[in-house]
Every structure is written in C-alpha cells, then in structure tokens.
Amino acid sequence: NAGVTQTPKFRILKIGQSMTLQCTQDMNHNYMYWYRQDPGMGLKLIYYSVGAGITDKGEVPNGYNVSRSTTEDFPLRLELAAPSQTSVYFCASDYTGQYSPLHFGNGTRLTVT
Amino acid sequence: QKEVEQDPGPLSVPEGAIVSLNCTYSNSAFQYFMWYRQYSRKGPELLMYTYSSGNKEDGRFTAQVDKSSKYISLFIRDSQPSDSATYLCAMSALDNNDMRFGAGTRLTVKP
C-alpha cells in the first residue's frame, strides 16, 4: 500500500515550457486535491476532484489544468510555465471529502527559470 | 489580513520542554480544526483534529480550540528530538475543499 505517489520529485523548467505533474493513489479515495506550498504562505488549493470525470477550481487555479479519467490518477498540467509557478506541489486524497484526514504525497519541487 | 495566521518561528526548545504552537483565524464559520506535522522534504501528515470548541488529548499531544477567541493551540509535552518538524494548522467550515492552512511553525527540539 504505497498511499499517494507523486512524480517527478524535482524538475527545472524554462519559462514558457509545459509539463505534467503525476499523482496516483492506491487507497480507492474518491476525493483528490492539488496544493502548492510557498514559503510563509501555507498550502493553497489549486484544483480538486470529487471523483472520476469531475474536477473543480480551488483558490489558485490560474495557469494550471487537471483531468481525472480514473479514480487512481489526478495529473496536474502546467502550460506556459512562469517564474511565479516556482513552488512545491503536493497531491492529496481523502475518503469522504469532509472531516476526514488528507493523505499527502511527498511533493514535487518545481523551479521555473 | 490572512484568513489563518500562524507564527512561522523558528522555535527551538530543549528536549523534555513543553511546546505551545498557536494559530488565530478570522472566519467564524470554521468548525473543523486540524494540526498536520511535516518533516523536511515530506508531505504533511495529520497529527490531531477537533470539531468545534474544546480539548482533545492524544498521548503527549493536546489540541485546544477556543472559537470565541478564534484561537487554536497544540501542546506537546515532554518534547523529543523526533518532534522536530514544521507544524501546520488547518481549518475548514464544511468540506476539505475549503480547508485553509496556516504558514507552519518550524520546531527544533535539541537533545
């Protein structure tokens, strides 16, 4: 039981490049989330999904896209990377979407230069 | 003003000390309060959660919520070097998709 797995662990992008951050969970959780963590700012929700085929915007969605074709996978797409997207990205999942603990992956450290 | 305020520290204490970590918030609709622990280069993991006001104890950890003051605390008794981590408070009004996190307090417990 691996929990939430994120790849890659690290990535450096040039301005304007695109990439996909991968996230997969093996706990059969319906709810999945993408957060970014910046120093002194706390975790901010980018997008979330309540099940396969259903996604919705969080607090800071601009510059990102997501899809959820299966229960297990929730990739985050960055189009036209900008320096402001330099951050640590965390994927999380939970069972009920309400009053249940979030299970986090170990993050992807992204630098855009 | 941030919706959730948390002193980033860093906080350094000797082994065995009692540690007090705190957050204040502005949204009176918050009713589910959590503390996450995050080790370096790892994702956060849930440490404690409480619903509405009151205290909750789990081993060396005690979480307190004072909704009238919009103030939550986490106490760590007999702190250990293995408690060295960043502690994040989090709170939500209804669903996990409206959860708000504090910036985190970095704690170091020195042997």
Side-chain angles (χ1 to χ4, degrees), chain A residues 63-109:
Chain A
Y64 307 94
N65 278 300
V66 294
S67 60
R68 183 97 181 270
S69 57
T70 66
T71 299
E72 295 77 20
D73 300 307
F74 190 39
L76 177 72
R77 178 83 176 160
L78 277 72
E79 304 283 1
L80 299 174
S84 61
Q85 293 178 305
T86 293
S87 188
V88 182
Y89 292 85
F90 288 99
C91 179
S93 71
D94 78 81
Y95 186 61
T96 67
Q98 187 179 56
Y99 308 150
S100 65
L102 292 170
H103 297 260
F104 285 88
N106 284 328
T108 294
R109 293 180 174 272

mmCIF file of all heavy atoms in Angstrom, chain A residues 63-109:
data_model
loop_
_atom_site.group_PDB
_atom_site.id
_atom_site.type_symbol
_atom_site.label_atom_id
_atom_site.label_comp_id
_atom_site.label_asym_id
_atom_site.label_seq_id
_atom_site.Cartn_x
_atom_site.Cartn_y
_atom_site.Cartn_z
ATOM 1 N N GLY A 63 -3.318 29.208 -14.590
ATOM 2 C CA GLY A 63 -2.062 28.685 -15.111
ATOM 3 C C GLY A 63 -1.953 27.172 -15.016
ATOM 4 O O GLY A 63 -0.929 26.607 -15.413
ATOM 5 N N TYR A 64 -3.004 26.526 -14.513
ATOM 6 C CA TYR A 64 -2.987 25.076 -14.322
ATOM 7 C C TYR A 64 -4.227 24.438 -14.937
ATOM 8 O O TYR A 64 -5.255 25.089 -15.084
ATOM 9 C CB TYR A 64 -2.966 24.719 -12.832
ATOM 10 C CG TYR A 64 -1.870 25.382 -12.037
ATOM 11 C CD1 TYR A 64 -2.109 26.579 -11.355
ATOM 12 C CD2 TYR A 64 -0.599 24.825 -11.953
ATOM 13 C CE1 TYR A 64 -1.103 27.192 -10.622
ATOM 14 C CE2 TYR A 64 0.407 25.421 -11.212
ATOM 15 C CZ TYR A 64 0.137 26.614 -10.549
ATOM 16 O OH TYR A 64 1.138 27.214 -9.819
ATOM 17 N N ASN A 65 -4.094 23.145 -15.270
ATOM 18 C CA ASN A 65 -5.250 22.358 -15.681
ATOM 19 C C ASN A 65 -5.140 20.966 -15.093
ATOM 20 O O ASN A 65 -4.037 20.489 -14.805
ATOM 21 C CB ASN A 65 -5.315 22.253 -17.213
ATOM 22 C CG ASN A 65 -5.951 23.480 -17.833
ATOM 23 O OD1 ASN A 65 -7.103 23.801 -17.549
ATOM 24 N ND2 ASN A 65 -5.201 24.176 -18.671
ATOM 25 N N VAL A 66 -6.282 20.312 -14.922
ATOM 26 C CA VAL A 66 -6.301 18.959 -14.383
ATOM 27 C C VAL A 66 -7.267 18.109 -15.177
ATOM 28 O O VAL A 66 -8.111 18.613 -15.929
ATOM 29 C CB VAL A 66 -6.713 18.919 -12.898
ATOM 30 C CG1 VAL A 66 -5.676 19.595 -12.012
ATOM 31 C CG2 VAL A 66 -8.087 19.544 -12.709
ATOM 32 N N SER A 67 -7.141 16.816 -14.989
ATOM 33 C CA SER A 67 -8.094 15.861 -15.533
ATOM 34 C C SER A 67 -8.175 14.703 -14.560
ATOM 35 O O SER A 67 -7.273 14.486 -13.738
ATOM 36 C CB SER A 67 -7.645 15.384 -16.915
ATOM 37 O OG SER A 67 -6.368 14.762 -16.836
ATOM 38 N N ARG A 68 -9.268 13.970 -14.595
ATOM 39 C CA ARG A 68 -9.429 12.808 -13.702
ATOM 40 C C ARG A 68 -10.181 11.736 -14.490
ATOM 41 O O ARG A 68 -11.396 11.642 -14.454
ATOM 42 C CB ARG A 68 -10.216 13.220 -12.460
ATOM 43 C CG ARG A 68 -10.362 12.087 -11.434
ATOM 44 C CD ARG A 68 -9.339 12.178 -10.365
ATOM 45 N NE ARG A 68 -9.448 11.093 -9.403
ATOM 46 C CZ ARG A 68 -10.190 11.138 -8.289
ATOM 47 N NH1 ARG A 68 -10.928 12.213 -8.043
ATOM 48 N NH2 ARG A 68 -10.212 10.117 -7.462
ATOM 49 N N SER A 69 -9.428 10.924 -15.190
ATOM 50 C CA SER A 69 -10.050 9.882 -16.002
ATOM 51 C C SER A 69 -10.247 8.587 -15.226
ATOM 52 O O SER A 69 -11.083 7.761 -15.594
ATOM 53 C CB SER A 69 -9.218 9.622 -17.259
ATOM 54 O OG SER A 69 -7.891 9.265 -16.899
ATOM 55 N N THR A 70 -9.485 8.396 -14.145
ATOM 56 C CA THR A 70 -9.617 7.207 -13.313
ATOM 57 C C THR A 70 -9.671 7.622 -11.846
ATOM 58 O O THR A 70 -9.284 8.745 -11.493
ATOM 59 C CB THR A 70 -8.435 6.236 -13.482
ATOM 60 O OG1 THR A 70 -7.247 6.856 -12.972
ATOM 61 C CG2 THR A 70 -8.224 5.857 -14.947
ATOM 62 N N THR A 71 -10.115 6.737 -10.973
ATOM 63 C CA THR A 71 -10.121 7.024 -9.534
ATOM 64 C C THR A 71 -8.703 7.223 -9.017
ATOM 65 O O THR A 71 -8.459 8.032 -8.132
ATOM 66 C CB THR A 71 -10.787 5.868 -8.764
ATOM 67 O OG1 THR A 71 -12.130 5.735 -9.215
ATOM 68 C CG2 THR A 71 -10.786 6.121 -7.263
ATOM 69 N N GLU A 72 -7.739 6.484 -9.580
ATOM 70 C CA GLU A 72 -6.388 6.466 -9.035
ATOM 71 C C GLU A 72 -5.550 7.688 -9.405
ATOM 72 O O GLU A 72 -4.677 8.095 -8.650
ATOM 73 C CB GLU A 72 -5.648 5.215 -9.523
ATOM 74 C CG GLU A 72 -6.207 3.894 -9.038
ATOM 75 C CD GLU A 72 -7.459 3.476 -9.777
ATOM 76 O OE1 GLU A 72 -7.702 3.975 -10.900
ATOM 77 O OE2 GLU A 72 -8.218 2.653 -9.231
ATOM 78 N N ASP A 73 -5.747 8.256 -10.583
ATOM 79 C CA ASP A 73 -4.813 9.246 -11.116
ATOM 80 C C ASP A 73 -5.409 10.639 -11.215
ATOM 81 O O ASP A 73 -6.561 10.816 -11.628
ATOM 82 C CB ASP A 73 -4.333 8.807 -12.504
ATOM 83 C CG ASP A 73 -3.634 7.466 -12.474
ATOM 84 O OD1 ASP A 73 -2.686 7.326 -11.673
ATOM 85 O OD2 ASP A 73 -4.048 6.559 -13.228
ATOM 86 N N PHE A 74 -4.583 11.626 -10.894
ATOM 87 C CA PHE A 74 -5.042 13.023 -10.932
ATOM 88 C C PHE A 74 -3.863 13.893 -11.352
ATOM 89 O O PHE A 74 -3.229 14.553 -10.535
ATOM 90 C CB PHE A 74 -5.564 13.421 -9.549
ATOM 91 C CG PHE A 74 -6.279 14.754 -9.514
ATOM 92 C CD1 PHE A 74 -7.120 15.158 -10.537
ATOM 93 C CD2 PHE A 74 -6.142 15.594 -8.409
ATOM 94 C CE1 PHE A 74 -7.797 16.365 -10.484
ATOM 95 C CE2 PHE A 74 -6.822 16.808 -8.342
ATOM 96 C CZ PHE A 74 -7.643 17.189 -9.379
ATOM 97 N N PRO A 75 -3.548 13.944 -12.645
ATOM 98 C CA PRO A 75 -2.398 14.733 -13.097
ATOM 99 C C PRO A 75 -2.685 16.227 -13.132
ATOM 100 O O PRO A 75 -3.817 16.653 -13.395
ATOM 101 C CB PRO A 75 -2.151 14.189 -14.511
ATOM 102 C CG PRO A 75 -3.474 13.658 -14.946
ATOM 103 C CD PRO A 75 -4.166 13.157 -13.710
ATOM 104 N N LEU A 76 -1.635 17.005 -12.883
ATOM 105 C CA LEU A 76 -1.716 18.471 -12.928
ATOM 106 C C LEU A 76 -0.851 18.957 -14.080
ATOM 107 O O LEU A 76 0.334 18.635 -14.159
ATOM 108 C CB LEU A 76 -1.213 19.069 -11.617
ATOM 109 C CG LEU A 76 -1.174 20.597 -11.526
ATOM 110 C CD1 LEU A 76 -2.589 21.178 -11.431
ATOM 111 C CD2 LEU A 76 -0.342 21.043 -10.310
ATOM 112 N N ARG A 77 -1.444 19.742 -14.955
ATOM 113 C CA ARG A 77 -0.757 20.219 -16.145
ATOM 114 C C ARG A 77 -0.418 21.695 -15.981
ATOM 115 O O ARG A 77 -1.285 22.507 -15.625
ATOM 116 C CB ARG A 77 -1.647 20.030 -17.371
ATOM 117 C CG ARG A 77 -1.074 20.537 -18.677
ATOM 118 C CD ARG A 77 -0.157 19.534 -19.298
ATOM 119 N NE ARG A 77 0.328 19.997 -20.613
ATOM 120 C CZ ARG A 77 1.415 19.509 -21.202
ATOM 121 N NH1 ARG A 77 2.114 18.549 -20.613
ATOM 122 N NH2 ARG A 77 1.792 19.961 -22.374
ATOM 123 N N LEU A 78 0.847 22.042 -16.219
ATOM 124 C CA LEU A 78 1.279 23.437 -16.272
ATOM 125 C C LEU A 78 1.523 23.800 -17.731
ATOM 126 O O LEU A 78 2.332 23.165 -18.406
ATOM 127 C CB LEU A 78 2.577 23.653 -15.501
ATOM 128 C CG LEU A 78 2.508 23.856 -14.003
ATOM 129 C CD1 LEU A 78 2.169 22.565 -13.299
ATOM 130 C CD2 LEU A 78 3.828 24.408 -13.483
ATOM 131 N N GLU A 79 0.816 24.790 -18.226
ATOM 132 C CA GLU A 79 1.024 25.286 -19.582
ATOM 133 C C GLU A 79 1.769 26.624 -19.486
ATOM 134 O O GLU A 79 1.433 27.450 -18.660
ATOM 135 C CB GLU A 79 -0.321 25.522 -20.273
ATOM 136 C CG GLU A 79 -1.236 24.307 -20.324
ATOM 137 C CD GLU A 79 -0.850 23.292 -21.386
ATOM 138 O OE1 GLU A 79 0.153 23.502 -22.090
ATOM 139 O OE2 GLU A 79 -1.560 22.281 -21.492
ATOM 140 N N LEU A 80 2.753 26.824 -20.341
ATOM 141 C CA LEU A 80 3.466 28.106 -20.393
ATOM 142 C C LEU A 80 3.978 28.503 -19.009
ATOM 143 O O LEU A 80 3.536 29.484 -18.408
ATOM 144 C CB LEU A 80 2.559 29.215 -20.946
ATOM 145 C CG LEU A 80 2.042 28.985 -22.377
ATOM 146 C CD1 LEU A 80 1.047 30.079 -22.756
ATOM 147 C CD2 LEU A 80 3.217 28.960 -23.352
ATOM 148 N N ALA A 81 4.916 27.717 -18.492
ATOM 149 C CA ALA A 81 5.407 27.920 -17.134
ATOM 150 C C ALA A 81 5.949 29.336 -16.929
ATOM 151 O O ALA A 81 6.614 29.908 -17.806
ATOM 152 C CB ALA A 81 6.492 26.900 -16.819
ATOM 153 N N ALA A 82 5.675 29.879 -15.744
ATOM 154 C CA ALA A 82 6.134 31.217 -15.361
ATOM 155 C C ALA A 82 6.894 31.127 -14.038
ATOM 156 O O ALA A 82 6.652 30.206 -13.250
ATOM 157 C CB ALA A 82 4.938 32.151 -15.212
ATOM 158 N N PRO A 83 7.807 32.075 -13.773
ATOM 159 C CA PRO A 83 8.557 32.036 -12.501
ATOM 160 C C PRO A 83 7.645 31.997 -11.267
ATOM 161 O O PRO A 83 8.023 31.418 -10.245
ATOM 162 C CB PRO A 83 9.380 33.323 -12.555
ATOM 163 C CG PRO A 83 9.578 33.577 -14.008
ATOM 164 C CD PRO A 83 8.295 33.139 -14.662
ATOM 165 N N SER A 84 6.453 32.580 -11.370
ATOM 166 C CA SER A 84 5.522 32.576 -10.233
ATOM 167 C C SER A 84 5.025 31.170 -9.895
ATOM 168 O O SER A 84 4.429 30.964 -8.823
ATOM 169 C CB SER A 84 4.325 33.475 -10.531
ATOM 170 O OG SER A 84 3.627 33.007 -11.676
ATOM 171 N N GLN A 85 5.252 30.215 -10.781
ATOM 172 C CA GLN A 85 4.841 28.840 -10.516
ATOM 173 C C GLN A 85 5.942 28.017 -9.856
ATOM 174 O O GLN A 85 5.762 26.827 -9.602
ATOM 175 C CB GLN A 85 4.378 28.171 -11.814
ATOM 176 C CG GLN A 85 3.098 28.793 -12.361
ATOM 177 C CD GLN A 85 2.656 28.190 -13.661
ATOM 178 O OE1 GLN A 85 3.417 28.141 -14.632
ATOM 179 N NE2 GLN A 85 1.417 27.731 -13.712
ATOM 180 N N THR A 86 7.061 28.651 -9.557
ATOM 181 C CA THR A 86 8.093 28.002 -8.748
ATOM 182 C C THR A 86 7.520 27.749 -7.365
ATOM 183 O O THR A 86 7.093 28.686 -6.678
ATOM 184 C CB THR A 86 9.340 28.902 -8.643
ATOM 185 O OG1 THR A 86 9.944 29.010 -9.932
ATOM 186 C CG2 THR A 86 10.343 28.316 -7.661
ATOM 187 N N SER A 87 7.484 26.477 -6.961
ATOM 188 C CA SER A 87 6.824 26.117 -5.713
ATOM 189 C C SER A 87 7.046 24.632 -5.445
ATOM 190 O O SER A 87 7.654 23.923 -6.244
ATOM 191 C CB SER A 87 5.320 26.407 -5.823
ATOM 192 O OG SER A 87 4.674 26.235 -4.581
ATOM 193 N N VAL A 88 6.530 24.180 -4.320
ATOM 194 C CA VAL A 88 6.452 22.744 -4.038
ATOM 195 C C VAL A 88 4.995 22.346 -4.175
ATOM 196 O O VAL A 88 4.116 22.955 -3.557
ATOM 197 C CB VAL A 88 6.977 22.392 -2.635
ATOM 198 C CG1 VAL A 88 6.925 20.881 -2.430
ATOM 199 C CG2 VAL A 88 8.396 22.910 -2.439
ATOM 200 N N TYR A 89 4.734 21.345 -4.995
ATOM 201 C CA TYR A 89 3.372 20.911 -5.293
ATOM 202 C C TYR A 89 3.073 19.604 -4.577
ATOM 203 O O TYR A 89 3.840 18.644 -4.673
ATOM 204 C CB TYR A 89 3.193 20.744 -6.800
ATOM 205 C CG TYR A 89 3.240 22.061 -7.532
ATOM 206 C CD1 TYR A 89 4.449 22.624 -7.921
ATOM 207 C CD2 TYR A 89 2.069 22.772 -7.804
ATOM 208 C CE1 TYR A 89 4.505 23.840 -8.561
ATOM 209 C CE2 TYR A 89 2.111 23.999 -8.459
ATOM 210 C CZ TYR A 89 3.334 24.522 -8.826
ATOM 211 O OH TYR A 89 3.377 25.733 -9.457
ATOM 212 N N PHE A 90 1.944 19.589 -3.876
ATOM 213 C CA PHE A 90 1.519 18.398 -3.159
ATOM 214 C C PHE A 90 0.181 17.922 -3.685
ATOM 215 O O PHE A 90 -0.753 18.703 -3.855
ATOM 216 C CB PHE A 90 1.392 18.671 -1.659
ATOM 217 C CG PHE A 90 2.716 18.827 -0.959
ATOM 218 C CD1 PHE A 90 3.218 20.075 -0.678
ATOM 219 C CD2 PHE A 90 3.438 17.703 -0.583
ATOM 220 C CE1 PHE A 90 4.437 20.227 -0.037
ATOM 221 C CE2 PHE A 90 4.655 17.842 0.057
ATOM 222 C CZ PHE A 90 5.154 19.102 0.329
ATOM 223 N N CYS A 91 0.108 16.626 -3.897
ATOM 224 C CA CYS A 91 -1.150 15.966 -4.214
ATOM 225 C C CYS A 91 -1.659 15.305 -2.929
ATOM 226 O O CYS A 91 -0.859 14.842 -2.103
ATOM 227 C CB CYS A 91 -0.917 14.924 -5.299
ATOM 228 S SG CYS A 91 -2.371 13.998 -5.783
ATOM 229 N N ALA A 92 -2.962 15.299 -2.743
ATOM 230 C CA ALA A 92 -3.547 14.692 -1.551
ATOM 231 C C ALA A 92 -4.843 13.989 -1.924
ATOM 232 O O ALA A 92 -5.443 14.271 -2.973
ATOM 233 C CB ALA A 92 -3.813 15.745 -0.468
ATOM 234 N N SER A 93 -5.261 13.067 -1.074
ATOM 235 C CA SER A 93 -6.536 12.391 -1.290
ATOM 236 C C SER A 93 -7.203 12.142 0.045
ATOM 237 O O SER A 93 -6.556 12.153 1.096
ATOM 238 C CB SER A 93 -6.333 11.064 -2.039
ATOM 239 O OG SER A 93 -5.703 10.102 -1.204
ATOM 240 N N ASP A 94 -8.505 11.945 0.011
ATOM 241 C CA ASP A 94 -9.213 11.520 1.215
ATOM 242 C C ASP A 94 -10.456 10.748 0.828
ATOM 243 O O ASP A 94 -10.871 10.743 -0.338
ATOM 244 C CB ASP A 94 -9.527 12.699 2.145
ATOM 245 C CG ASP A 94 -10.702 13.520 1.695
ATOM 246 O OD1 ASP A 94 -11.859 13.122 1.961
ATOM 247 O OD2 ASP A 94 -10.475 14.569 1.077
ATOM 248 N N TYR A 95 -11.072 10.096 1.819
ATOM 249 C CA TYR A 95 -12.145 9.144 1.528
ATOM 250 C C TYR A 95 -13.509 9.821 1.354
ATOM 251 O O TYR A 95 -14.247 9.515 0.435
ATOM 252 C CB TYR A 95 -12.197 8.106 2.649
ATOM 253 C CG TYR A 95 -13.168 6.985 2.386
ATOM 254 C CD1 TYR A 95 -13.025 6.151 1.284
ATOM 255 C CD2 TYR A 95 -14.238 6.756 3.246
ATOM 256 C CE1 TYR A 95 -13.919 5.132 1.043
ATOM 257 C CE2 TYR A 95 -15.135 5.738 3.012
ATOM 258 C CZ TYR A 95 -14.975 4.919 1.906
ATOM 259 O OH TYR A 95 -15.857 3.915 1.667
ATOM 260 N N THR A 96 -13.821 10.774 2.236
ATOM 261 C CA THR A 96 -15.184 11.306 2.244
ATOM 262 C C THR A 96 -15.301 12.742 1.759
ATOM 263 O O THR A 96 -16.408 13.201 1.489
ATOM 264 C CB THR A 96 -15.773 11.261 3.668
ATOM 265 O OG1 THR A 96 -15.044 12.180 4.499
ATOM 266 C CG2 THR A 96 -15.700 9.862 4.248
ATOM 267 N N GLY A 97 -14.167 13.477 1.691
ATOM 268 C CA GLY A 97 -14.233 14.874 1.282
ATOM 269 C C GLY A 97 -14.682 15.817 2.375
ATOM 270 O O GLY A 97 -14.765 17.025 2.175
ATOM 271 N N GLN A 98 -14.969 15.260 3.537
ATOM 272 C CA GLN A 98 -15.475 16.097 4.620
ATOM 273 C C GLN A 98 -15.042 15.492 5.949
ATOM 274 O O GLN A 98 -15.298 14.311 6.209
ATOM 275 C CB GLN A 98 -17.001 16.161 4.558
ATOM 276 C CG GLN A 98 -17.634 17.133 5.523
ATOM 277 C CD GLN A 98 -19.147 17.151 5.363
ATOM 278 O OE1 GLN A 98 -19.785 16.121 5.470
ATOM 279 N NE2 GLN A 98 -19.705 18.312 5.107
ATOM 280 N N TYR A 99 -14.380 16.333 6.774
ATOM 281 C CA TYR A 99 -13.990 15.910 8.116
ATOM 282 C C TYR A 99 -13.187 14.608 8.110
ATOM 283 O O TYR A 99 -13.290 13.804 9.030
ATOM 284 C CB TYR A 99 -15.209 15.737 9.028
ATOM 285 C CG TYR A 99 -16.130 16.932 9.061
ATOM 286 C CD1 TYR A 99 -17.493 16.761 9.276
ATOM 287 C CD2 TYR A 99 -15.661 18.216 8.873
ATOM 288 C CE1 TYR A 99 -18.343 17.849 9.312
ATOM 289 C CE2 TYR A 99 -16.506 19.309 8.904
ATOM 290 C CZ TYR A 99 -17.845 19.116 9.128
ATOM 291 O OH TYR A 99 -18.686 20.183 9.152
ATOM 292 N N SER A 100 -12.427 14.383 7.084
ATOM 293 C CA SER A 100 -11.563 13.207 7.057
ATOM 294 C C SER A 100 -10.144 13.654 6.736
ATOM 295 O O SER A 100 -9.944 14.659 6.055
ATOM 296 C CB SER A 100 -12.043 12.186 6.026
ATOM 297 O OG SER A 100 -11.944 12.689 4.718
ATOM 298 N N PRO A 101 -9.159 12.941 7.273
ATOM 299 C CA PRO A 101 -7.776 13.400 7.092
ATOM 300 C C PRO A 101 -7.333 13.328 5.639
ATOM 301 O O PRO A 101 -7.674 12.399 4.908
ATOM 302 C CB PRO A 101 -6.973 12.437 7.967
ATOM 303 C CG PRO A 101 -7.830 11.230 8.108
ATOM 304 C CD PRO A 101 -9.236 11.719 8.073
ATOM 305 N N LEU A 102 -6.567 14.331 5.241
ATOM 306 C CA LEU A 102 -5.946 14.328 3.925
ATOM 307 C C LEU A 102 -4.679 13.482 3.978
ATOM 308 O O LEU A 102 -3.893 13.575 4.906
ATOM 309 C CB LEU A 102 -5.579 15.745 3.505
ATOM 310 C CG LEU A 102 -6.745 16.692 3.221
ATOM 311 C CD1 LEU A 102 -6.234 18.117 3.056
ATOM 312 C CD2 LEU A 102 -7.490 16.258 1.980
ATOM 313 N N HIS A 103 -4.488 12.655 2.954
ATOM 314 C CA HIS A 103 -3.268 11.869 2.809
ATOM 315 C C HIS A 103 -2.438 12.515 1.703
ATOM 316 O O HIS A 103 -2.895 12.589 0.558
ATOM 317 C CB HIS A 103 -3.595 10.427 2.441
ATOM 318 C CG HIS A 103 -4.384 9.714 3.490
ATOM 319 N ND1 HIS A 103 -3.816 8.851 4.396
ATOM 320 C CD2 HIS A 103 -5.704 9.745 3.784
ATOM 321 C CE1 HIS A 103 -4.754 8.376 5.199
ATOM 322 N NE2 HIS A 103 -5.904 8.902 4.857
ATOM 323 N N PHE A 104 -1.260 12.982 2.050
ATOM 324 C CA PHE A 104 -0.424 13.719 1.115
ATOM 325 C C PHE A 104 0.675 12.855 0.521
ATOM 326 O O PHE A 104 1.196 11.940 1.180
ATOM 327 C CB PHE A 104 0.247 14.907 1.826
ATOM 328 C CG PHE A 104 -0.662 16.064 2.115
ATOM 329 C CD1 PHE A 104 -1.395 16.108 3.293
ATOM 330 C CD2 PHE A 104 -0.775 17.122 1.221
ATOM 331 C CE1 PHE A 104 -2.232 17.182 3.571
ATOM 332 C CE2 PHE A 104 -1.606 18.204 1.485
ATOM 333 C CZ PHE A 104 -2.336 18.229 2.668
ATOM 334 N N GLY A 105 1.041 13.172 -0.719
ATOM 335 C CA GLY A 105 2.272 12.653 -1.287
ATOM 336 C C GLY A 105 3.458 13.450 -0.759
ATOM 337 O O GLY A 105 3.281 14.383 0.043
ATOM 338 N N ASN A 106 4.658 13.110 -1.221
ATOM 339 C CA ASN A 106 5.863 13.779 -0.730
ATOM 340 C C ASN A 106 6.282 14.969 -1.570
ATOM 341 O O ASN A 106 7.355 15.539 -1.346
ATOM 342 C CB ASN A 106 7.006 12.783 -0.611
ATOM 343 C CG ASN A 106 6.845 11.890 0.604
ATOM 344 O OD1 ASN A 106 6.304 12.320 1.624
ATOM 345 N ND2 ASN A 106 7.282 10.653 0.499
ATOM 346 N N GLY A 107 5.475 15.348 -2.536
ATOM 347 C CA GLY A 107 5.680 16.601 -3.223
ATOM 348 C C GLY A 107 6.575 16.548 -4.443
ATOM 349 O O GLY A 107 7.394 15.632 -4.616
ATOM 350 N N THR A 108 6.383 17.546 -5.309
ATOM 351 C CA THR A 108 7.257 17.789 -6.458
ATOM 352 C C THR A 108 7.793 19.207 -6.324
ATOM 353 O O THR A 108 7.015 20.154 -6.213
ATOM 354 C CB THR A 108 6.488 17.677 -7.790
ATOM 355 O OG1 THR A 108 6.059 16.344 -7.990
ATOM 356 C CG2 THR A 108 7.377 18.118 -8.956
ATOM 357 N N ARG A 109 9.120 19.331 -6.294
ATOM 358 C CA ARG A 109 9.753 20.663 -6.215
ATOM 359 C C ARG A 109 10.019 21.164 -7.619
ATOM 360 O O ARG A 109 10.810 20.571 -8.336
ATOM 361 C CB ARG A 109 11.057 20.585 -5.423
ATOM 362 C CG ARG A 109 10.858 20.276 -3.974
ATOM 363 C CD ARG A 109 12.149 20.205 -3.202
ATOM 364 N NE ARG A 109 11.861 20.042 -1.786
ATOM 365 C CZ ARG A 109 11.667 21.036 -0.944
ATOM 366 N NH1 ARG A 109 11.788 22.284 -1.364
ATOM 367 N NH2 ARG A 109 11.369 20.804 0.315
#
